[in-house]
Amino acid sequence: MPSEAASTGISLMGDIPWGTHFCYFFETRQDLLDASVPFFQAGLEHHEFCLWIVCSPLTEADALRALGESIPGMDRYLAEGGMEILVHGQPITPGDSQTARGRVHDLHEKLADALARGYAGMRVAGSPASMQKKDMGVFRDFERELGESAANRRMIALCQFPLAESSAAEILDAARTHQFVVSRRNGDWEIIETPEIKLTKAEIAKLNQKLERRVEERAQALEAANQDLRNEIARRETVEEDLRRQKEILQTVFDHIPVMLCFVDKDSRIKLVNREWERTLGRLLEEIPNQHIDFMVAENFPDPAVRQELLDFVHNSNGEWGDFQTRVWDGRVIDTAWAILHLSDGTVIGIGEDITQRKQAERELRRQKEILQTIFDHIPILISFMDQDGQFKLVNREWERTLGRSIEEIRSQNIDIVGENYPDPEDRQKVEDFYRGSHGEWEDFKTRVRDGRVIDLSWAVLHLSDGTAICFGQDITGRKRAEEALRESEERLRQLAETICHLFWIKTADMQRAIYYSPRYDRISGRSREEAYRDSDYQFFLNRIVPEDRERVAEFLQRGVQADFEIEYRITRPDGSVHWICDHGYPIRDSSGQIYRVAGLAQDITEHKLAEEALHESEERFRQIAENIREVFWLRSPDLKRLLYVSPMYEKVFGRSCESLYADGEKLSAVHPEDRPRVLHSMQTCGGQEFEIEYRIINQEREVRWIRDRGFPIRNQAGDIYRIGGVAEDITHRKEAEERLKTSSEQLRALSASLQSTREKEATRIARQIHDELGSPLAGLRWELEALEKMIHEPADPERVKMMDEKLAAMVGLMDTTINVVRRVASELRPSILDDLGLSEALEWQTQQFQARTGIECRCDCSLPGVPMGDEQSTAVFRIVQEALTNILRHAQATRVRVAMLEEHGMLVLTVADNGCGISQAEVHNRGSLGILGMQERAHLFGGRVDIVGLKGAGTTLHIRVPLGAAEPGAK
């Protein structure tokens, strides 16, 4: 997890480390803004991405207004994407842990995007209270995953809970799933840490003590090592460098160790202090008069009694730690801890630590403990703690009040409270099984209390790692009775409503809100009753009425119901269908004659209403479909001799008028003469079966188009064929695409064969070149080496030495020749200049080589700096230019060539132009032009293209366009 801290913007909290996951309880809307606005302001000022997921009691507009009033430049943050405000979506359904994990994953993606955009981290705030109320298990899983994921990332997560809407159990559950709790009540801030945080701080304190002991032991070990080094220096001067390094290490440790170190000699003069001592106490050693320790003691401890206590501690201590209130140079009073070591020469070593934050944390811990004890004593939930042996260790007042027993009674009288509350052995066994197997789930039990009453209690048990069990209980007797009475009432209403064949409904007197809908509501409206019950007024009902009827129904509702009524209207169901409803209602009056409810029966009369319009609508739909589809729809007699109908699209597809087709009869004048017999034969032999045929037509512009015609029989209720229908569509583009695909496939096969042949020829050429140009020099070098070996083993004389020098010179010449041959072969395979200097310089070299080899004047303008292209892109462009120059040499009969390169709209544009005979378009598109096809394929691999334009007698120009920074082949 990132170690640095981030500012919360809340004065009470200060800075907190990245990965913190805490919650905030608020009473009022202003309390929520007082915490959220500074929280996000601190994040924006430190270049952190901020995400605020707002929900009731705030709206997105409230959040924007509050941020804009407090944070300068808020519009800029929103425009740059540094701040994002979202509105809570639909609540997660019970048991839907997958969606909860998905929301944590969404936050991971937000964080990754923020870090990629350069933000220091992400802070997010939102309220999972609705999730907590829906399903406590899903809420715990969500909070646990959010806390675990935030702990390893540059993220700070703030969960917000309304205090007034949260039960005691929900408050405790929220506190347990966060590192600490912040609340604001009556304008006062409070921080409550979880037991895990307290344990962590205690563990840190232990680790600090262990670290101090290890530092002390290490210091002693280093002192012993220094003594050994000093003795060794007297004997061996060669280890001086090692001693210097050790001294540098000690000095570094002394200067940077996060504790104060002070050395005082026997005359009470300060000989040495480290940087932490000067930083904490605010004094440099040079600023202390005569460097006397008494000055610092008087300044840091102005109270005579405290000063004397310190002096006594200095004289008597030998390694023990003592805590003191210390006034530093700027007047602040801090808490420090000191340990004193006395050396044999009278030197005193003072080791100190600033423990102000630790002291503040201890005081805050005591305050939070008092708050938790108050909550424990007054929360209206039964809470008990039991050890691993099943003995009660602690219970709260609500537990004693509800069950009628105090913990002192249970302990002194050895009462079996489980046996007393659950006298039935079977019930007792269920309770014991639940106690052992529960992990936070709630379950209801009938419980007998001390005075003999049987009440309903709901219990949940949490097991800690040390064997302790925490039991939470709620008295739900009143709720159970209310639920039973409600069930009886609902059963009577259900039986009445479900025996009625129509929709039975009850609404408030003003018709604004529905109180009850019978199950038939779902079938008539297409909506669930639960959705309808959430409608807060009749505007939601009006919105489902078709616009033509809405005003009339709205006027009726506004007048109010004073007597029986009947009204007909149309509604739009969620699936888009429109239904006719006949609604008959009547008012229900109380004993005083006042209307307090309106009831009624609603009937779906859609079938009756639509029966009258069915035929007309069917004909209208047929006409609209036939006239608006892109294909040609036609109808003929069963023998296909008489045309009954053709859609207007015929004129666009066939290029002829519909009237001409009606007059044409069986002639089929539009069909291509070569295809006409085949079409007529298909029509005559279909025998009332489905058929499909493709043929050509000639329109009035004498264009040939391809048509696919599909026919099918249409039967009456008796099953007899009385019509032949069909659909004709223009497939010219498909046919042309198939032809282009066929041509392209043939070209690719030819290119593949050419590439294979070229590869074999190139391999043969390289093998022959290596054999011819490297074989002879290497054979000669071997002969020279054999001769030199013989000379070495013979007696030396001046003449033989001279011969050996000549042999060596000859061998050097052979080696130079061999190296030049290897370099030339490698350059022909792939010029090294392309890898060493880049595309521009490689093209300059290639044009120079081309001019030197062919004598054709070649000018290159390729000075474009810093071309952002990968190796494969550069190679492809280089090879295309090579192929272009080769084609110029073979076919163009040119005397001048110009190669130019520039950048245009994010594209690299490279031009190769000559003054030769000029290429024709037929030659460009010739299937046998494999060189041109190869160039086009190379460019296509990188999203580019090659354009070739020639003018007879005026030369040829080739343009290569490749996107700069394009992906490598295969990466698309």
Side-chain angles (χ1 to χ4, degrees):
M1 182 181 72
S3 58
E4 62 266 28
S7 173
T8 63
I10 302 173
S11 58
L12 175 68
M13 297 173 63
D15 295 344
I16 58 176
W18 285 107
T20 299
H21 175 213
F22 65 102
C23 65
Y24 169 63
F25 284 94
F26 59 92
E27 280 193 334
T28 66
R29 175 176 174 274
Q30 189 59 42
D31 289 341
L32 177 58
L33 291 175
D34 288 347
S36 302
V37 171
F39 174 74
F40 286 118
Q41 183 173 6
L44 292 173
E45 290 175 350
H46 291 83
H47 194 59
E48 300 169 15
F49 174 69
C50 297
L51 175 61
W52 191 356
I53 307 174
V54 299
C55 66
S56 177
L58 290 181
T59 64
E60 183 179 2
D62 295 336
L64 287 172
R65 183 168 54 255
L67 291 170
E69 292 173 353
S70 301
I71 303 176
M74 190 61 221
D75 292 339
R76 177 174 57 83
Y77 289 126
L78 291 171
E80 293 175 352
M83 178 78 196
E84 187 174 351
I85 300 175
L86 301 177
V87 179
H88 262 292
Q90 291 294 329
I92 292 176
T93 58
D96 190 4
S97 299
Q98 184 66 32
T99 301
R101 286 191 293 270
R103 292 188 177 177
V104 176
H105 178 71
D106 293 342
L107 294 178
H108 294 174
E109 293 183 344
K110 288 283 187 183
L111 173 60
D113 179 67
L115 295 175
R117 289 190 288 146
Y119 288 95
M122 182 179 83
R123 58 180 64 198
V124 58
S127 174
S130 61
M131 183 191 305
Q132 185 183 32
K133 293 184 180 295
K134 283 284 184 180
D135 190 325
M136 190 69 74
V138 172
F139 166 75
R140 294 193 194 100
D141 292 343
F142 170 78
E143 291 290 359
R144 182 180 67 255
E145 288 199 16
L146 178 58
E148 290 173 358
S149 64
N152 298 311
R153 292 175 170 84
R154 299 183 70 85
M155 181 194 297
I156 297 176
L158 169 59
C159 297
Q160 301 163 332
F161 298 86
L163 196 58
E165 298 177 12
S166 301
S167 66
E170 292 170 345
I171 293 174
L172 287 177
D173 208 67
R176 188 171 61 251
T177 55
H178 294 82
Q179 293 174 319
F180 58 88
V181 178
V182 181
S183 67
R184 183 173 174 85
R185 302 180 62 189
N186 300 323
D188 295 328
W189 291 92
E190 295 179 347
I191 297 180
I192 304 173
E193 292 178 336
T194 63
E196 289 82 359
I197 293 297
K198 300 174 184 177
L199 291 174
T200 301
K201 289 191 174 180
E203 186 64 23
I204 291 173
K206 292 178 182 179
L207 291 174
N208 285 339
Q209 293 178 0
K210 185 183 291 185
L211 176 62
E212 293 166 359
R213 288 194 298 271
R214 291 182 64 183
V215 169
E216 182 179 351
E217 293 169 358
R218 181 61 178 163
Q220 293 174 355
L222 289 174
E223 180 61 28
N226 282 338
Q227 184 61 39
D228 293 341
L229 287 173
R230 285 193 291 271
N231 294 336
E232 186 68 17
I233 289 172
R235 296 189 302 270
R236 297 173 62 185
E237 293 292 329
T238 58
V239 298
E240 289 182 357
E241 182 60 23
D242 292 338
L243 177 61
R244 185 193 65 77
R245 271 197 302 270
Q246 291 290 339
K247 184 177 179 182
E248 182 180 352
I249 293 172
L250 283 176
Q251 185 63 46
T252 302
V253 172
F254 183 78
D255 288 339
H256 296 89
I257 192 170
V259 296
M260 296 181 283
L261 295 176
C262 174
F263 292 80
V264 181
D265 63 14
K266 61 183 179 181
D267 298 324
S268 299
R269 295 187 180 277
I270 304 174
K271 305 303 292 181
L272 185 63
V273 297
N274 69 342
R275 296 177 184 174
E276 182 67 14
W277 189 93
E278 295 176 338
R279 186 193 66 77
T280 304
L281 299 182
R283 287 286 188 184
L284 299 177
L285 183 60
E286 295 77 10
E287 297 175 351
I288 302 173
N290 299 320
Q291 298 183 351
H292 204 281
I293 190 63
D294 290 345
F295 174 81
M296 290 303 298
V297 171
E299 180 177 85
N300 297 144
F301 306 96
D303 188 333
V306 176
R307 187 162 56 247
Q308 187 58 48
E309 180 183 355
L310 173 71
L311 294 174
D312 293 341
F313 173 76
V314 170
H315 289 306
N316 300 325
S317 174
N318 190 22
E320 302 86 2
W321 285 85
D323 298 345
F324 296 93
Q325 291 273 324
T326 306
R327 183 181 299 276
V328 295
W329 176 77
D330 59 5
R332 291 180 298 109
V333 176
I334 64 174
D335 291 291
T336 57
W338 292 94
I340 306 298
L341 299 176
H342 297 273
L343 305 185
S344 58
D345 61 353
T347 299
V348 177
I349 302 176
I351 304 173
E353 182 183 4
D354 184 353
I355 60 171
T356 305
Q357 293 185 353
R358 190 184 78 191
K359 286 289 186 179
Q360 292 175 348
E362 290 173 353
R363 289 191 291 270
E364 182 63 25
L365 186 61
R366 286 193 296 270
R367 188 177 70 84
Q368 293 179 5
K369 184 177 180 181
E370 181 180 353
I371 293 172
L372 287 176
Q373 185 62 46
T374 303
I375 294 174
F376 182 80
D377 288 338
H378 296 87
I379 191 171
I381 295 177
L382 289 71
I383 304 176
S384 62
F385 291 77
M386 303 180 71
D387 61 17
Q388 57 187 359
D389 298 323
Q391 300 298 316
F392 285 94
K393 306 303 292 183
L394 182 65
V395 300
N396 69 342
R397 296 177 185 175
E398 182 67 14
W399 191 96
E400 295 177 338
R401 184 194 66 77
T402 303
L403 299 182
R405 291 286 187 183
S406 67
I407 193 161
E408 290 78 13
E409 286 181 302
I410 296 173
R411 290 174 177 170
S412 62
Q413 301 177 23
N414 196 24
I415 297 173
D416 180 9
I417 191 66
V418 177
E420 180 181 270
N421 295 147
Y422 305 98
D424 184 90
E426 185 177 344
D427 292 342
R428 186 162 58 250
Q429 185 61 44
K430 289 181 179 179
V431 171
E432 291 173 353
D433 292 343
F434 172 75
Y435 172 83
R436 287 190 294 270
S438 176
H439 295 282
E441 305 86 3
W442 288 86
E443 190 164 337
D444 300 344
F445 295 94
K446 293 285 188 180
T447 306
R448 184 181 299 277
V449 296
R450 182 177 185 179
D451 59 7
R453 290 180 299 109
V454 176
I455 64 175
D456 291 286
L457 291 180
S458 184
W459 289 100
V461 180
L462 297 176
H463 296 275
L464 305 184
S465 58
D466 63 353
T468 300
I470 307 176
C471 303
F472 298 89
Q474 284 183 300
D475 185 354
I476 59 172
T477 305
R479 190 187 77 190
K480 286 284 187 179
R481 292 173 181 171
E483 289 174 352
E484 183 62 28
L486 180 59
R487 278 195 297 271
E488 293 178 0
S489 176
E490 289 178 344
E491 180 62 20
R492 289 193 297 270
L493 180 61
R494 184 189 64 80
Q495 292 178 0
L496 175 63
E498 292 183 357
T499 57
I500 302 174
C501 61
H502 303 314
L503 165 63
F504 174 67
W505 53 263
I506 302 175
K507 294 187 178 182
T508 56
D510 56 5
M511 299 287 284
Q512 293 282 356
R513 187 170 54 86
I515 298 174
Y516 174 77
Y517 285 120
S518 66
R520 197 167 183 81
Y521 176 84
D522 298 10
R523 293 181 57 187
I524 291 179
S525 68
R527 301 173 70 230
S528 68
R529 288 181 290 171
E530 289 72 17
E531 291 181 89
Y533 292 147
R534 288 195 293 267
D535 295 346
S536 58
D537 54 42
Y538 58 59
Q539 186 60 46
F540 294 91
F541 167 69
L542 290 175
N543 292 340
R544 293 191 294 275
I545 296 176
V546 298
E548 295 82 358
D549 299 345
R550 189 175 301 158
E551 183 176 355
R552 175 171 54 85
V553 177
E555 292 177 356
F556 165 76
L557 293 174
Q558 290 169 1
R559 290 196 303 268
V561 177
Q562 299 298 326
D564 292 4
F565 64 88
E566 182 174 307
I567 186 171
E568 292 183 358
Y569 52 86
R570 288 166 293 175
I571 64 170
T572 302
R573 295 176 51 161
D575 61 4
S577 62
V578 175
H579 283 242
W580 276 93
I581 304 297
C582 178
D583 220 340
H584 175 74
Y586 50 90
I588 301 175
R589 304 178 186 272
D590 58 18
S591 57
S592 64
Q594 296 295 321
I595 298 174
Y596 76 101
R597 293 286 187 270
V598 178
L601 294 172
Q603 180 182 2
D604 187 339
I605 59 171
T606 305
E607 293 183 2
H608 174 72
K609 286 287 186 180
L610 296 182
E612 301 171 356
E613 303 175 9
L615 181 59
H616 174 72
E617 290 183 357
S618 176
E619 294 175 349
E620 181 63 20
R621 283 195 299 271
F622 170 78
R623 185 189 62 80
Q624 292 181 359
I625 291 173
E627 293 182 0
N628 289 285
I629 60 175
R630 299 176 62 182
E631 294 81 8
V632 179
F633 179 75
W634 52 265
L635 284 174
R636 283 184 175 270
S637 59
D639 58 2
L640 294 173
K641 294 181 178 180
R642 187 164 54 92
L643 178 68
L644 303 177
Y645 173 80
V646 65
S647 64
M649 185 58 65
Y650 174 83
E651 297 182 352
K652 182 175 181 181
V653 173
F654 283 73
R656 297 169 179 263
S657 67
C658 295
E659 288 74 13
S660 67
L661 182 61
Y662 286 118
D664 199 26
E666 298 182 73
K667 296 179 182 179
L668 303 179
S669 302
V671 179
H672 195 284
E674 296 177 2
D675 297 343
R676 193 176 301 153
R678 178 167 53 87
V679 175
L680 288 172
H681 180 265
S682 297
M683 294 175 62
Q684 293 167 358
T685 59
C686 70
Q689 301 297 321
E690 292 186 8
F691 66 88
E692 180 175 325
I693 185 171
E694 294 182 0
Y695 54 87
R696 293 166 293 173
I697 64 169
I698 301 175
N699 60 21
Q700 289 184 342
E701 286 75 24
R702 310 306 297 171
E703 291 179 340
V704 177
R705 310 292 293 179
W706 275 93
I707 301 297
R708 183 175 68 171
D709 212 338
R710 291 168 292 168
F712 50 88
I714 302 175
R715 302 177 186 271
N716 56 23
Q717 293 182 349
D720 299 326
I721 300 175
Y722 76 104
R723 294 285 189 274
I724 298 294
V727 177
E729 61 176 322
D730 187 341
I731 60 170
T732 305
H733 294 303
R734 193 194 75 186
K735 286 289 186 179
E736 291 174 349
E738 290 174 353
E739 182 65 23
R740 288 195 299 271
L741 179 60
K742 180 180 178 182
T743 301
S744 176
S745 298
E746 292 175 356
Q747 289 179 332
L748 288 177
R749 282 194 295 271
L751 176 61
S752 177
S754 175
L755 290 177
Q756 184 65 27
S757 174
T758 303
R759 188 180 297 112
E760 294 296 333
K761 291 179 180 178
E762 185 67 12
T764 302
R765 185 187 66 79
I766 294 172
R768 184 183 298 113
Q769 192 172 12
I770 291 175
H771 177 273
D772 295 345
E773 301 191 27
L774 293 182
S776 296
L778 289 175
L781 181 62
R782 176 181 176 84
W783 295 336
E784 295 292 346
L785 286 172
E786 290 176 352
L788 180 62
E789 181 182 14
K790 293 178 181 178
M791 291 179 182
I792 291 174
H793 292 90
E794 294 178 359
D797 58 56
E799 184 64 26
R800 189 171 300 280
V801 170
K802 181 178 179 181
M803 292 176 64
M804 292 174 65
D805 289 341
E806 293 174 352
K807 291 286 185 183
L808 288 173
M811 285 189 287
V812 170
L814 287 172
M815 289 301 296
D816 290 341
T817 301
T818 303
I819 290 170
N820 290 333
V821 170
V822 170
R823 285 175 176 172
R824 179 164 54 80
V825 172
S827 176
E828 292 175 357
L829 292 176
R830 177 178 175 86
S832 60
I833 191 173
L834 185 62
D835 298 321
D836 297 337
L837 300 179
L839 179 62
S840 298
E841 289 75 8
L843 293 177
E844 290 276 2
W845 173 82
Q846 180 64 32
T847 54
Q848 293 171 5
Q849 292 290 314
F850 180 77
Q851 179 172 325
R853 188 171 69 252
T854 64
I856 298 174
E857 179 186 344
C858 193
R859 183 164 56 89
C860 181
D861 182 10
C862 299
S863 59
L864 185 65
V867 180
M869 300 184 73
D871 292 341
E872 293 191 16
Q873 289 176 279
S874 300
T875 302
V877 173
F878 182 80
R879 293 303 186 196
I880 292 173
V881 174
Q882 277 188 322
E883 181 67 23
L885 293 175
T886 300
N887 289 342
I888 291 173
L889 178 62
R890 291 176 178 174
H891 309 295
Q893 304 175 10
T895 59
R896 289 194 309 276
V897 177
R898 182 177 64 87
V899 179
M901 183 169 62
L902 57 88
E903 180 181 352
E904 183 179 279
H905 305 302
M907 302 282 287
L908 174 70
V909 180
L910 196 146
T911 302
V912 180
D914 64 68
N915 65 345
C917 60
I919 190 171
S920 66
Q921 287 301 305
E923 291 173 322
V924 171
H925 298 292
N926 184 7
R927 297 183 183 181
S929 301
L930 299 181
I932 295 175
L933 180 60
M935 290 190 287
Q936 292 173 338
E937 289 298 320
R938 286 184 186 272
H940 179 70
L941 283 175
F942 298 94
R945 71 176 192 268
V946 173
D947 298 321
I948 303 176
V949 179
L951 185 61
K952 189 171 183 62
T956 302
T957 301
L958 178 141
H959 296 288
I960 307 166
R961 289 179 171 82
V962 179
L964 291 175
E968 297 297 332
K972 294 183 182 180

